């Protein structure tokens, strides 16, 4: 066909200008899916096609069962963590026997739903289901025992409980140990907490959830915080090339200032731990330039909470079953270190864990109800 013929043909054709704004805002507009309106679907068949693209085919019994489990988990979370005493999910969407088909949720969440109450609650429930879906399909869900064992084993190898002196971090009986106040191995982030975190942060996604598991070490002194970090690197518990850039936090004591003080004390022949620790505490008491710290912004963390944190990645190796190839992948975990004085200060007031969780839940609720009266 000639060029002129193509031109004549195109002139007689009309093209659809019915563009889906949500799709474009999600793909290239930067709008998080939790803040976007539900898709505009007209039939149950369209809803099922949407779900297939999402990853679940309702014509496959196993997929349909998984969708109902996700639905049940989301309903349970809303009732336990989000709803107020006078709020109740409509049975039309919370009761599987009345909903009958998960695809109907997508239709009720769409702009064509006449019942505004059903529309609102369907949108909210779908948002939670989306977060639950990503959490339940994280590598941790399939390899939790291997991940935990391989991440925590190196820490356990160097910690022992001494009847006389308490908890010790030491490489061997001949080396100088570091006395710890406590060490917590967080085997997994509570599922409710993980859902709340993903709901509360627009840029948070399940594969980017860096602190699903972690290690928290409470030292006896401020100096020991830095000694512990040195110990972890020197004894190859932590491989610092695998630290995730941009995820570290140090609101405890500036690194450069710490190194300057230690080098100055060494030049004077001072190696006594207590004396060095007192100098560090005196510097804190006088006040240090906040620009010297490395603080990763977190709207939920109180300014009073002072600690050091980094995200490390462990190469987890899972042997394959007979005839299958082994699997290996990097999995992130959080290491948080704090001295006992600041740890005690974090147990109350704005820096307390309960206040932190409360601020997160409030933000999660705000995002879920965005655009609706509540």
């Amino acid at each position: 066909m000639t060029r002129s013929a193509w031109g004549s043909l195109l002139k007689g054709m009309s093209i659809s200008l019915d563009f889906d704004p949500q799709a474009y805002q999600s793909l290239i507009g930067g709008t998080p899916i939790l803040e976007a309106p539900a898709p505009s679907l007209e039939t149950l068949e369209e809803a099922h096609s949407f779900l297939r693209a999402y990853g679940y085919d309702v014509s496959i019994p196993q997929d349909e069962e998984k969708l109902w489990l996700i639905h049940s988990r989301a309903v349970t979370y809303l009732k336990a963590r989000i709803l107020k005493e006078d709020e109740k999910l409509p049975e039309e969407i919370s009761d599987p026997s009345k909903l009958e088909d998960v695809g109907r949720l997508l239709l009720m969440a769409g702009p064509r739903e006449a019942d505004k109450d059903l529309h609102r609650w369907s949108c909210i429930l779908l948002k939670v289901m989306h977060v639950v879906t990503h959490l339940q399909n994280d590598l941790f869900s399939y390899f939790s025992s291997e991940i935990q064992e391989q991440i925590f084993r190196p820490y356990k190898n160097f910690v022992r409980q001494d009847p006389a002196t308490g908890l010790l971090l030491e490489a061997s009986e001949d080396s100088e140990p570091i006395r710890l106040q406590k060490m917590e191995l967080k085997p997994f982030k509570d599922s409710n907490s993980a859902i709340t975190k993903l709901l509360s942060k627009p840029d948070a996604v399940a594969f980017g959830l860096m602190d699903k598991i972690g290690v928290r070490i409470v030292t006896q002194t401020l100096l020991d915080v830095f000694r512990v970090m040195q110990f972890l690197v020197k004894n190859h518990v932590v491989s610092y090339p695998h630290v995730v850039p941009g995820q570290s936090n140090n609101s405890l004591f500036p690194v450069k200032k710490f190194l300057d003080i230690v080098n100055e004390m060494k030049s004077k022949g001072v190696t006594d731990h207590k004396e060095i620790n007192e100098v560090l505490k005196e510097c804190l008491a006088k006040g240090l330039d906040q620009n010297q710290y490395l603080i990763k912004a977190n709207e939920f963390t109180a300014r009073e909470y002072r600690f050091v944190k980094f995200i490390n990645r462990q190469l987890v190796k899972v042997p394959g079953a007979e005839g299958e190839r082994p699997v290996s992948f990097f999995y992130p975990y959080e290491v948080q270190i704090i001295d006992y004085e600041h740890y005690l200060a974090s147990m109350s007031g704005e820096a307390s864990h309960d206040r932190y969780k409360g601020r997160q839940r409030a933000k999660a609720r705000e995002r879920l109800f965005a655009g609706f009266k509540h």
Side-chain angles (χ1 to χ4, degrees), residues 138-187:
D138 178 69
L139 281 170
F140 190 83
S141 301
Y142 298 95
F143 302 109
S144 59
S145 59
E146 293 88 349
I147 290 171
Q148 292 176 86
E149 195 278 329
Q150 293 181 42
I151 286 176
F152 294 146
R153 186 202 313 139
Y155 291 87
K156 293 178 180 178
N157 288 343
F158 291 106
V159 174
R160 70 179 180 90
Q161 184 73 41
D162 186 274
T165 57
L167 200 62
L168 299 177
L169 184 67
E170 63 178 358
S172 66
E173 293 185 0
D174 298 329
S175 62
E176 182 182 14
I178 302 173
R179 293 178 61 186
L180 304 179
Q181 196 67 32
K182 65 187 300 186
M183 184 171 79
E184 300 171 342
L185 302 179
K186 300 185 292 180

Side-chain angles (χ1 to χ4, degrees), residues 124-141:
I124 290 170
L125 181 55
L126 282 172
K127 290 178 182 180
V128 179
M129 287 178 65
H130 174 69
V131 168
V132 171
T133 299
H134 280 256
L135 284 172
Q136 291 190 353
N137 287 282
D138 178 69
L139 281 170
F140 190 83
S141 301

Side-chain angles (χ1 to χ4, degrees), residues 251 290 295 298-307 342 350-351 359:
S251 57
Q290 290 298 306
I295 299 178
N298 185 336
E299 63 179 301
F300 307 116
T301 301
R303 293 181 62 184
E304 295 84 356
Y305 188 46
R306 319 282 280 189
F307 66 110
H342 285 97
E350 287 300 309
R359 291 189 287 269

Side-chain angles (χ1 to χ4, degrees), residues 89-140:
L89 283 173
E91 290 187 352
E92 292 92 330
I93 66 168
S94 63
D95 185 343
S97 65
K98 289 184 170 58
L99 182 58
E100 296 181 340
D101 190 311
V102 175
R104 292 186 61 207
L105 265 179
L106 289 164
L107 300 181
M108 288 188 282
R112 290 177 173 80
E113 175 59 53
D115 189 322
K116 298 303 180 185
D117 198 45
L118 280 181
H119 170 71
R120 176 180 68 156
W121 286 114
S122 297
C123 288
I124 290 170
L125 181 55
L126 282 172
K127 290 178 182 180
V128 179
M129 287 178 65
H130 174 69
V131 168
V132 171
T133 299
H134 280 256
L135 284 172
Q136 291 190 353
N137 287 282
D138 178 69
L139 281 170
F140 190 83

Side-chain angles (χ1 to χ4, degrees), residues 173-217:
E173 293 185 0
D174 298 329
S175 62
E176 182 182 14
I178 302 173
R179 293 178 61 186
L180 304 179
Q181 196 67 32
K182 65 187 300 186
M183 184 171 79
E184 300 171 342
L185 302 179
K186 300 185 292 180
F188 59 88
K189 181 180 281 292
D190 172 74
S191 58
N192 281 334
S193 297
I195 294 171
T196 300
K197 181 167 185 175
L198 291 180
L199 287 172
S200 65
K201 293 188 173 183
D203 58 346
V205 289
F207 60 79
L209 197 59
M210 302 290 183
D211 61 347
K212 191 161 189 172
I213 65 173
V215 178
R216 190 187 201 196
I217 299 173

